[in-house]
Structure formats: C-alpha cells, structure tokens
C-alpha cells in the first residue's frame, strides 16, 4: 500500500468538529482499506482499517453476516505507521480529560472525543453522521484490553443511540433462554461463563454484553473473546491458567479468542429470562440459589458498569431497570464444584421459562 502524507497542522481555537473534519480529510486521501463488518445487535457496523494488511480487532469482533445490510455506523482506523498521516498537532490540558478514555473538554452534544492513552492515540466520533475516526501511531501498539473488547468505549455511545446498552456482565444460555450475570469484577461472572462455555451452553460474553429491553428482553454477543483471573479460586478444567495472552503487565488476567466453529457460538442473541448475581463462598460444599432484591441487583450492575464506562451518562440504567421489573432476579452462592453450580443454574432457568 502506498504511503500518503497529509499534514494536520491545527492552530488557534480548535473544536471537536475541526478535529473530526481534518481527520476525515486525511481518510479521503487514502485507498484500499482492510474492511470488517461488526454485528451490533440486529444492526451492523462497518470497520475500515487504513494503512495495514492485518487487523488486531478481527479476532474479537462478532462478525456481521449480511453483506447487503446497510451499516448503521462507520469506524475508520488510521494507522499512522502505514499511511504517514501524522499526529493531528493538538495539545491537551489536564482539564480536557474525563474518566477513563473520554475527553470531556473535547466532547459536546454532537461529538465525543477519546484519548487512547495506552496506544498514544485518539478518536473522535460524530454522533450526527454516525461515524468515528480513530488515529493510532501503529496498530502494533493496540492495548491488549482493547484487543479483547475492541471499541467498547465507543459501543456504549452507539448502543445508547439505538435505545440499548452495553452492560458489564456475562451472559450464557440454553435453547432460547439466557441469563445475565451481573456484579462487580471478581465476583464469579467469568468463572460461571467459562464453565458454561466448556459445557456447551450458548455463550454471549463474560465481560461486556449488548442488551435491549424492547420489545422483549434480549442479549447480543459483541465479542468472541473470554478473560479470566489468573489467581482465581477455580477455573474450568478445559482451560489452563497459562492459555491465551496476558492483558495486563502483572499477568492478573488472560484472554483467548474463541474458536469460531464452537457450538457455543452458534447463537449470537437470545431472549433473557433471568438476572443473576453470583457470590463466591468457599465455605459452601454445594451451590445455593435464592431470590435477589431487584433494586439492589440493578444498582450493583449499574455501579459496576459505570465504573468502567466512558459515557457521559449511564444509558444502561433504563433497559436494565426494565428487565429487573419483568424478569426473575436471583443470587447464586457458588461452590468449588463448578459443574454443580451450572446444573443448579440450568434447573432454575428451566423453571423460569
């Protein structure tokens, strides 16, 4: 691919619109992108990689399956190393930064801007045209967390515009019945989801799941990845603590891309029939399940989601609250017997159907 050079020299008072416009002009000079389709619920998103022959995102993104479907959103990723499109020439002040990746000082009602600090890149999204442009110095520098859940920070905004939400949760199911497993990190969501994955249950995610409450509660898989805590109390036998790649410098979490031929990935969406909050109790010899307070379950899930969110508000609150009013809410005490935990959950899913 031929390299293209376009200087983005910004001077004077610059707005998010100016930044987006200059980056869009840079993209317009480039040729032959590497393209993906990302299944986003019942919609699809076009992902175009400029300046690379391989993509660090394709392994984790749930692939679109309808080539004639008009995408509802476009994400352009500029690899500066492969295109020679330089850093846009802007300098941020401390007050520009928000929580996590969001640049509060460079965001408004029409545009959302993000500082991709591990990758030393930035992104700006036009909410009106439904297009985001990501600038990276090199795709080789994409953060391992980002490889596990690509564009998760942007997915929240896209989901909100569609009346849906990206929830920090796991989701697994049987037939057309799924359970959302909510709660803070380390509570047992991934352990339960990985156990189900190895046992042939449908798998919709162990960390982030797209959810919708209308016209009926449903969940959708966004990512074909799975993560686990390396020093967790238990791990299903089908996976090793050393499998996959580390997603943090201290090797506290590891991640794998799931086999696309896995029967657990045959379904990418399902009706939600139960909300579940796990708790790890080493003293239990057998698992136990009991009704959970819907309000407390929702608040725990919202707090956990917002803590990792880059959105200016919590678009997940409304669909989650609606589901909690309509669906059974349970708490499961997990025992060291992973198969017994799954058996008990399956029995309760059958009863809730």
């Amino acid at each position: 691919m031929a390299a293209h050079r376009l200087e983005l020299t910004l001077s004077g008072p610059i707005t998010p619109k100016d930044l987006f416009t200059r980056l869009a002009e840079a993209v317009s000079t480039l040729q032959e992108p590497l393209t993906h389709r990302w299944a986003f619920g019942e919609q699809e998103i076009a992902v175009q990689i400029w300046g690379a022959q391989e993509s660090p995102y394709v392994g984790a993104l749930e692939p679109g399956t309808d080539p004639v479907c008009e995408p509802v959103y476009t994400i352009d990723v500029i690899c500066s190393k492969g295109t020679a499109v330089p850093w846009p020439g802007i300098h941020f002040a401390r007050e520009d930064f928000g929580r996590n990746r969001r640049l509060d000082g460079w965001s408004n009602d029409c545009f959302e801007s993000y500082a991709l600090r591990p990758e030393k890149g930035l992104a700006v999204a036009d909410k009106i045209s439904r297009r985001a442009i990501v600038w990276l110095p090199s795709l080789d520098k994409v953060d391992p967390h980002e490889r596990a859940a690509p564009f998760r920070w942007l997915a929240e905004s896209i989901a909100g515009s569609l009346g849906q939400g990206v929830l920090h949760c796991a989701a697994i199911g049987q037939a057309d019945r799924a359970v959302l497993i909510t709660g803070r990190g380390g509570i047992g969501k991934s352990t339960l989801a990985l156990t189900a994955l190895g046992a042939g249950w449908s798998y919709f995610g162990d960390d982030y799941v797209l959810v919708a409450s209308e016209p009926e509660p449903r969940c959708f898989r966004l990512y074909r990845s799975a993560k686990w805590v390396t020093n967790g109390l238990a791990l299903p036998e089908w996976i090793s603590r050393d499998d996959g790649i580390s997603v943090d410098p201290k090797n506290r979490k590891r991640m794998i891309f799931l086999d696309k031929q896995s029967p657990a990935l045959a379904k990418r969406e399902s009706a939600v029939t139960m909300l579940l909050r796990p708790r790890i109790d080493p003293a239990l010899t057998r698992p136990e399940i009991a009704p959970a307070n819907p309000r407390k379950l929702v608040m725990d899930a919202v707090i956990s989601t917002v803590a990792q969110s880059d959105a200016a508000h919590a678009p997940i609150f409304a669909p989650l609250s609606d589901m909690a009013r309509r669906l059974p809410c349970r708490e499961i005490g997990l025992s060291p017997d992973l198969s017994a935990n799954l058996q008990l959950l399956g029995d309760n899913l059958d009863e809730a159907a």
Side-chain angles (χ1 to χ4, degrees), residues 131-145:
R131 179 188 183 189
I133 304 177
V134 182
W135 182 95
L136 297 173
S138 171
L139 288 180
D140 298 334
K141 303 297 183 182
V142 173
D143 181 57
H145 271 101

Side-chain angles (χ1 to χ4, degrees), residues 44-47 71-75 125-127 130-132 154 158:
E44 292 195 6
I45 292 174
V47 180
V72 296
Y73 206 98
T74 299
I75 302 173
D126 182 344
K127 292 187 279 188
R130 294 192 171 188
R131 179 188 183 189
L154 183 59
I158 298 172

